[in-house]
mmCIF file of all heavy atoms in Angstrom:
data_model
loop_
_atom_site.group_PDB
_atom_site.id
_atom_site.type_symbol
_atom_site.label_atom_id
_atom_site.label_comp_id
_atom_site.label_asym_id
_atom_site.label_seq_id
_atom_site.Cartn_x
_atom_site.Cartn_y
_atom_site.Cartn_z
ATOM 1 N N ILE A 27 6.889 -3.823 118.441
ATOM 2 C CA ILE A 27 8.288 -3.951 118.838
ATOM 3 C C ILE A 27 8.312 -4.380 120.291
ATOM 4 O O ILE A 27 7.780 -3.695 121.164
ATOM 5 C CB ILE A 27 9.057 -2.630 118.674
ATOM 6 C CG1 ILE A 27 8.985 -2.158 117.218
ATOM 7 C CG2 ILE A 27 10.504 -2.797 119.106
ATOM 8 C CD1 ILE A 27 9.543 -0.751 117.011
ATOM 9 N N ILE A 28 8.903 -5.546 120.554
ATOM 10 C CA ILE A 28 8.990 -6.090 121.904
ATOM 11 C C ILE A 28 10.443 -6.046 122.352
ATOM 12 O O ILE A 28 11.316 -6.558 121.663
ATOM 13 C CB ILE A 28 8.468 -7.535 121.959
ATOM 14 C CG1 ILE A 28 7.009 -7.587 121.517
ATOM 15 C CG2 ILE A 28 8.635 -8.132 123.346
ATOM 16 C CD1 ILE A 28 6.486 -8.984 121.312
ATOM 17 N N VAL A 29 10.704 -5.425 123.483
ATOM 18 C CA VAL A 29 12.052 -5.367 124.032
ATOM 19 C C VAL A 29 12.105 -6.217 125.299
ATOM 20 O O VAL A 29 11.333 -5.993 126.245
ATOM 21 C CB VAL A 29 12.475 -3.913 124.374
ATOM 22 C CG1 VAL A 29 13.882 -3.914 124.968
ATOM 23 C CG2 VAL A 29 12.421 -3.047 123.127
ATOM 24 N N LEU A 30 12.966 -7.224 125.292
ATOM 25 C CA LEU A 30 13.203 -8.054 126.469
ATOM 26 C C LEU A 30 14.537 -7.608 127.049
ATOM 27 O O LEU A 30 15.592 -7.852 126.471
ATOM 28 C CB LEU A 30 13.247 -9.534 126.079
ATOM 29 C CG LEU A 30 12.015 -10.079 125.349
ATOM 30 C CD1 LEU A 30 12.229 -11.535 124.943
ATOM 31 C CD2 LEU A 30 10.763 -9.956 126.208
ATOM 32 N N ASN A 31 14.483 -6.934 128.176
ATOM 33 C CA ASN A 31 15.683 -6.338 128.747
ATOM 34 C C ASN A 31 15.912 -6.861 130.168
ATOM 35 O O ASN A 31 14.957 -7.046 130.921
ATOM 36 C CB ASN A 31 15.559 -4.823 128.769
ATOM 37 C CG ASN A 31 16.822 -4.160 129.272
ATOM 38 O OD1 ASN A 31 17.889 -4.312 128.672
ATOM 39 N ND2 ASN A 31 16.732 -3.429 130.377
ATOM 40 N N GLY A 32 17.151 -7.102 130.524
ATOM 41 C CA GLY A 32 17.435 -7.543 131.891
ATOM 42 C C GLY A 32 18.694 -8.362 131.977
ATOM 43 O O GLY A 32 19.426 -8.521 131.010
ATOM 44 N N ARG A 33 18.927 -8.875 133.173
ATOM 45 C CA ARG A 33 20.159 -9.592 133.471
ATOM 46 C C ARG A 33 20.296 -10.877 132.662
ATOM 47 O O ARG A 33 19.318 -11.387 132.107
ATOM 48 C CB ARG A 33 20.215 -9.902 134.964
ATOM 49 C CG ARG A 33 19.153 -10.898 135.407
ATOM 50 C CD ARG A 33 19.221 -11.170 136.904
ATOM 51 N NE ARG A 33 18.795 -9.997 137.672
ATOM 52 C CZ ARG A 33 18.746 -9.978 138.999
ATOM 53 N NH1 ARG A 33 19.095 -11.049 139.682
ATOM 54 N NH2 ARG A 33 18.330 -8.896 139.626
ATOM 55 N N TYR A 34 21.503 -11.401 132.646
ATOM 56 C CA TYR A 34 21.783 -12.657 131.941
ATOM 57 C C TYR A 34 21.070 -13.823 132.638
ATOM 58 O O TYR A 34 20.903 -13.838 133.854
ATOM 59 C CB TYR A 34 23.282 -12.936 131.916
ATOM 60 C CG TYR A 34 24.087 -11.991 131.051
ATOM 61 C CD1 TYR A 34 24.752 -10.906 131.609
ATOM 62 C CD2 TYR A 34 24.175 -12.199 129.670
ATOM 63 C CE1 TYR A 34 25.502 -10.041 130.811
ATOM 64 C CE2 TYR A 34 24.928 -11.343 128.869
ATOM 65 C CZ TYR A 34 25.580 -10.265 129.440
ATOM 66 O OH TYR A 34 26.315 -9.414 128.654
ATOM 67 N N GLY A 35 20.667 -14.805 131.833
ATOM 68 C CA GLY A 35 20.170 -16.063 132.386
ATOM 69 C C GLY A 35 18.726 -16.075 132.811
ATOM 70 O O GLY A 35 18.267 -17.038 133.428
ATOM 71 N N THR A 36 17.960 -15.034 132.482
ATOM 72 C CA THR A 36 16.563 -14.978 132.924
ATOM 73 C C THR A 36 15.581 -15.579 131.912
ATOM 74 O O THR A 36 14.374 -15.513 132.115
ATOM 75 C CB THR A 36 16.153 -13.519 133.222
ATOM 76 O OG1 THR A 36 16.498 -12.698 132.101
ATOM 77 C CG2 THR A 36 16.865 -13.016 134.466
ATOM 78 N N GLY A 37 16.099 -16.125 130.829
ATOM 79 C CA GLY A 37 15.233 -16.814 129.867
ATOM 80 C C GLY A 37 14.697 -15.929 128.760
ATOM 81 O O GLY A 37 13.672 -16.252 128.153
ATOM 82 N N LYS A 38 15.393 -14.831 128.451
ATOM 83 C CA LYS A 38 14.912 -13.930 127.396
ATOM 84 C C LYS A 38 14.976 -14.595 126.018
ATOM 85 O O LYS A 38 14.037 -14.484 125.228
ATOM 86 C CB LYS A 38 15.756 -12.641 127.405
ATOM 87 C CG LYS A 38 15.679 -11.853 128.717
ATOM 88 C CD LYS A 38 16.414 -10.538 128.636
ATOM 89 C CE LYS A 38 17.920 -10.696 128.431
ATOM 90 N NZ LYS A 38 18.588 -11.386 129.551
ATOM 91 N N THR A 39 16.088 -15.261 125.744
ATOM 92 C CA THR A 39 16.224 -15.940 124.456
ATOM 93 C C THR A 39 15.238 -17.095 124.330
ATOM 94 O O THR A 39 14.666 -17.329 123.264
ATOM 95 C CB THR A 39 17.665 -16.444 124.266
ATOM 96 O OG1 THR A 39 18.570 -15.338 124.312
ATOM 97 C CG2 THR A 39 17.825 -17.148 122.917
ATOM 98 N N VAL A 40 15.029 -17.813 125.427
ATOM 99 C CA VAL A 40 14.060 -18.912 125.412
ATOM 100 C C VAL A 40 12.655 -18.372 125.153
ATOM 101 O O VAL A 40 11.879 -18.949 124.384
ATOM 102 C CB VAL A 40 14.098 -19.691 126.745
ATOM 103 C CG1 VAL A 40 13.021 -20.767 126.768
ATOM 104 C CG2 VAL A 40 15.468 -20.337 126.934
ATOM 105 N N LEU A 41 12.342 -17.230 125.770
ATOM 106 C CA LEU A 41 11.023 -16.623 125.586
ATOM 107 C C LEU A 41 10.815 -16.239 124.119
ATOM 108 O O LEU A 41 9.756 -16.511 123.536
ATOM 109 C CB LEU A 41 10.892 -15.400 126.494
ATOM 110 C CG LEU A 41 9.483 -14.819 126.683
ATOM 111 C CD1 LEU A 41 9.386 -14.095 128.038
ATOM 112 C CD2 LEU A 41 9.097 -13.861 125.567
ATOM 113 N N SER A 42 11.828 -15.630 123.515
ATOM 114 C CA SER A 42 11.704 -15.243 122.101
ATOM 115 C C SER A 42 11.609 -16.473 121.205
ATOM 116 O O SER A 42 10.911 -16.466 120.188
ATOM 117 C CB SER A 42 12.884 -14.372 121.687
ATOM 118 O OG SER A 42 14.089 -15.118 121.659
ATOM 119 N N THR A 43 12.304 -17.533 121.583
ATOM 120 C CA THR A 43 12.242 -18.788 120.808
ATOM 121 C C THR A 43 10.859 -19.410 120.906
ATOM 122 O O THR A 43 10.342 -19.975 119.931
ATOM 123 C CB THR A 43 13.311 -19.773 121.310
ATOM 124 O OG1 THR A 43 14.610 -19.169 121.174
ATOM 125 C CG2 THR A 43 13.284 -21.062 120.515
ATOM 126 N N PHE A 44 10.238 -19.315 122.089
ATOM 127 C CA PHE A 44 8.878 -19.805 122.264
ATOM 128 C C PHE A 44 7.935 -19.093 121.300
ATOM 129 O O PHE A 44 7.118 -19.719 120.619
ATOM 130 C CB PHE A 44 8.431 -19.589 123.708
ATOM 131 C CG PHE A 44 7.179 -20.319 124.095
ATOM 132 C CD1 PHE A 44 7.244 -21.459 124.883
ATOM 133 C CD2 PHE A 44 5.930 -19.870 123.673
ATOM 134 C CE1 PHE A 44 6.077 -22.135 125.232
ATOM 135 C CE2 PHE A 44 4.778 -20.546 124.020
ATOM 136 C CZ PHE A 44 4.845 -21.688 124.801
ATOM 137 N N LEU A 45 8.055 -17.764 121.219
ATOM 138 C CA LEU A 45 7.206 -16.997 120.313
ATOM 139 C C LEU A 45 7.531 -17.325 118.858
ATOM 140 O O LEU A 45 6.627 -17.367 118.016
ATOM 141 C CB LEU A 45 7.393 -15.507 120.570
ATOM 142 C CG LEU A 45 6.945 -15.006 121.955
ATOM 143 C CD1 LEU A 45 7.263 -13.539 122.122
ATOM 144 C CD2 LEU A 45 5.453 -15.259 122.167
ATOM 145 N N GLY A 46 8.809 -17.574 118.573
ATOM 146 C CA GLY A 46 9.190 -17.983 117.221
ATOM 147 C C GLY A 46 8.533 -19.284 116.829
ATOM 148 O O GLY A 46 8.066 -19.447 115.694
ATOM 149 N N ARG A 47 8.488 -20.219 117.774
ATOM 150 C CA ARG A 47 7.833 -21.504 117.494
ATOM 151 C C ARG A 47 6.339 -21.319 117.247
ATOM 152 O O ARG A 47 5.757 -21.974 116.371
ATOM 153 C CB ARG A 47 8.076 -22.480 118.646
ATOM 154 C CG ARG A 47 7.515 -23.874 118.370
ATOM 155 C CD ARG A 47 7.854 -24.834 119.482
ATOM 156 N NE ARG A 47 7.166 -24.519 120.726
ATOM 157 C CZ ARG A 47 7.242 -25.274 121.822
ATOM 158 N NH1 ARG A 47 7.985 -26.367 121.827
ATOM 159 N NH2 ARG A 47 6.597 -24.927 122.915
ATOM 160 N N VAL A 48 5.710 -20.440 118.025
ATOM 161 C CA VAL A 48 4.288 -20.173 117.837
ATOM 162 C C VAL A 48 4.020 -19.681 116.421
ATOM 163 O O VAL A 48 3.113 -20.159 115.729
ATOM 164 C CB VAL A 48 3.782 -19.139 118.866
ATOM 165 C CG1 VAL A 48 2.376 -18.660 118.511
ATOM 166 C CG2 VAL A 48 3.782 -19.744 120.267
ATOM 167 N N MET A 49 4.822 -18.720 115.975
ATOM 168 C CA MET A 49 4.621 -18.173 114.628
ATOM 169 C C MET A 49 4.979 -19.184 113.545
ATOM 170 O O MET A 49 4.343 -19.236 112.493
ATOM 171 C CB MET A 49 5.464 -16.905 114.470
ATOM 172 C CG MET A 49 4.973 -15.745 115.319
ATOM 173 S SD MET A 49 3.246 -15.336 114.945
ATOM 174 C CE MET A 49 2.894 -14.163 116.240
ATOM 175 N N TYR A 50 5.997 -19.988 113.800
ATOM 176 C CA TYR A 50 6.382 -21.028 112.846
ATOM 177 C C TYR A 50 5.247 -22.027 112.650
ATOM 178 O O TYR A 50 4.971 -22.462 111.521
ATOM 179 C CB TYR A 50 7.638 -21.741 113.350
ATOM 180 C CG TYR A 50 8.204 -22.775 112.417
ATOM 181 C CD1 TYR A 50 8.972 -22.393 111.324
ATOM 182 C CD2 TYR A 50 7.978 -24.134 112.627
ATOM 183 C CE1 TYR A 50 9.504 -23.346 110.456
ATOM 184 C CE2 TYR A 50 8.496 -25.079 111.770
ATOM 185 C CZ TYR A 50 9.260 -24.687 110.687
ATOM 186 O OH TYR A 50 9.773 -25.639 109.845
ATOM 187 N N ARG A 51 4.576 -22.366 113.731
ATOM 188 C CA ARG A 51 3.450 -23.283 113.649
ATOM 189 C C ARG A 51 2.267 -22.657 112.902
ATOM 190 O O ARG A 51 1.410 -23.373 112.379
ATOM 191 C CB ARG A 51 3.018 -23.723 115.047
ATOM 192 C CG ARG A 51 4.006 -24.678 115.693
ATOM 193 C CD ARG A 51 3.578 -25.066 117.101
ATOM 194 N NE ARG A 51 4.483 -26.065 117.659
ATOM 195 C CZ ARG A 51 4.374 -26.557 118.892
ATOM 196 N NH1 ARG A 51 3.404 -26.142 119.696
ATOM 197 N NH2 ARG A 51 5.231 -27.465 119.319
ATOM 198 N N ARG A 52 2.238 -21.331 112.876
ATOM 199 C CA ARG A 52 1.194 -20.619 112.140
ATOM 200 C C ARG A 52 1.592 -20.387 110.680
ATOM 201 O O ARG A 52 0.974 -19.587 109.985
ATOM 202 C CB ARG A 52 0.880 -19.281 112.816
ATOM 203 C CG ARG A 52 0.249 -19.423 114.192
ATOM 204 C CD ARG A 52 -0.169 -18.081 114.725
ATOM 205 N NE ARG A 52 -0.852 -18.213 116.006
ATOM 206 C CZ ARG A 52 -1.613 -17.285 116.549
ATOM 207 N NH1 ARG A 52 -1.786 -16.137 115.913
ATOM 208 N NH2 ARG A 52 -2.190 -17.471 117.722
ATOM 209 N N LYS A 53 2.676 -21.034 110.265
ATOM 210 C CA LYS A 53 3.168 -20.944 108.882
ATOM 211 C C LYS A 53 3.715 -19.559 108.551
ATOM 212 O O LYS A 53 3.714 -19.136 107.391
ATOM 213 C CB LYS A 53 2.067 -21.321 107.879
ATOM 214 C CG LYS A 53 1.360 -22.636 108.169
ATOM 215 C CD LYS A 53 2.326 -23.805 108.202
ATOM 216 C CE LYS A 53 1.594 -25.115 108.475
ATOM 217 N NZ LYS A 53 2.519 -26.269 108.611
ATOM 218 N N LYS A 54 4.193 -18.834 109.577
ATOM 219 C CA LYS A 54 4.806 -17.540 109.362
ATOM 220 C C LYS A 54 6.323 -17.700 109.232
ATOM 221 O O LYS A 54 6.923 -18.559 109.889
ATOM 222 C CB LYS A 54 4.502 -16.592 110.530
ATOM 223 C CG LYS A 54 3.022 -16.342 110.781
ATOM 224 C CD LYS A 54 2.422 -15.444 109.728
ATOM 225 C CE LYS A 54 1.003 -15.035 110.100
ATOM 226 N NZ LYS A 54 0.397 -14.165 109.070
ATOM 227 N N ARG A 55 6.954 -16.855 108.430
ATOM 228 C CA ARG A 55 8.410 -16.866 108.308
ATOM 229 C C ARG A 55 9.023 -16.229 109.547
ATOM 230 O O ARG A 55 8.572 -15.165 109.995
ATOM 231 C CB ARG A 55 8.852 -16.109 107.051
ATOM 232 C CG ARG A 55 8.445 -16.799 105.762
ATOM 233 C CD ARG A 55 8.913 -16.002 104.555
ATOM 234 N NE ARG A 55 10.371 -15.952 104.478
ATOM 235 C CZ ARG A 55 11.039 -15.339 103.502
ATOM 236 N NH1 ARG A 55 10.376 -14.701 102.557
ATOM 237 N NH2 ARG A 55 12.353 -15.342 103.475
ATOM 238 N N VAL A 56 10.028 -16.873 110.102
ATOM 239 C CA VAL A 56 10.681 -16.367 111.307
ATOM 240 C C VAL A 56 12.191 -16.392 111.107
ATOM 241 O O VAL A 56 12.722 -17.159 110.306
ATOM 242 C CB VAL A 56 10.287 -17.202 112.549
ATOM 243 C CG1 VAL A 56 8.797 -17.085 112.847
ATOM 244 C CG2 VAL A 56 10.679 -18.673 112.376
ATOM 245 N N LEU A 57 12.878 -15.528 111.863
ATOM 246 C CA LEU A 57 14.338 -15.479 111.785
ATOM 247 C C LEU A 57 14.887 -14.998 113.120
ATOM 248 O O LEU A 57 14.395 -14.031 113.697
ATOM 249 C CB LEU A 57 14.811 -14.537 110.677
ATOM 250 C CG LEU A 57 16.340 -14.350 110.537
ATOM 251 C CD1 LEU A 57 16.997 -15.654 110.114
ATOM 252 C CD2 LEU A 57 16.652 -13.228 109.560
ATOM 253 N N TYR A 58 15.924 -15.691 113.606
ATOM 254 C CA TYR A 58 16.651 -15.287 114.811
ATOM 255 C C TYR A 58 18.072 -14.932 114.402
ATOM 256 O O TYR A 58 18.709 -15.642 113.615
ATOM 257 C CB TYR A 58 16.675 -16.422 115.827
ATOM 258 C CG TYR A 58 17.596 -16.191 117.010
ATOM 259 C CD1 TYR A 58 17.104 -15.704 118.210
ATOM 260 C CD2 TYR A 58 18.961 -16.457 116.911
ATOM 261 C CE1 TYR A 58 17.948 -15.482 119.287
ATOM 262 C CE2 TYR A 58 19.813 -16.234 117.983
ATOM 263 C CZ TYR A 58 19.308 -15.755 119.172
ATOM 264 O OH TYR A 58 20.149 -15.526 120.229
ATOM 265 N N SER A 59 18.581 -13.821 114.934
ATOM 266 C CA SER A 59 19.942 -13.406 114.605
ATOM 267 C C SER A 59 20.486 -12.553 115.748
ATOM 268 O O SER A 59 19.733 -11.916 116.486
ATOM 269 C CB SER A 59 19.947 -12.596 113.299
ATOM 270 O OG SER A 59 21.242 -12.059 113.051
#
């Protein structure tokens, strides 16, 4: 369980999207909501 906590605009969503792309490239199922 990874918690990204902090102020707005620091790139938390981008960071999670980066990890989503990594797993997607590994043929893993991913979901953002």
Side-chain angles (χ1 to χ4, degrees):
I27 301 171
I28 300 170
V29 179
L30 304 176
N31 184 60
R33 67 181 70 179
Y34 291 98
T36 51
K38 299 185 296 297
T39 300
V40 176
L41 194 153
S42 69
T43 301
F44 193 104
L45 295 176
R47 185 176 68 176
V48 169
M49 291 302 171
Y50 184 79
R51 288 178 175 178
R52 294 186 176 197
K53 310 301 181 184
K54 301 287 188 180
R55 292 180 65 179
V56 296
L57 177 66
Y58 170 97
S59 173

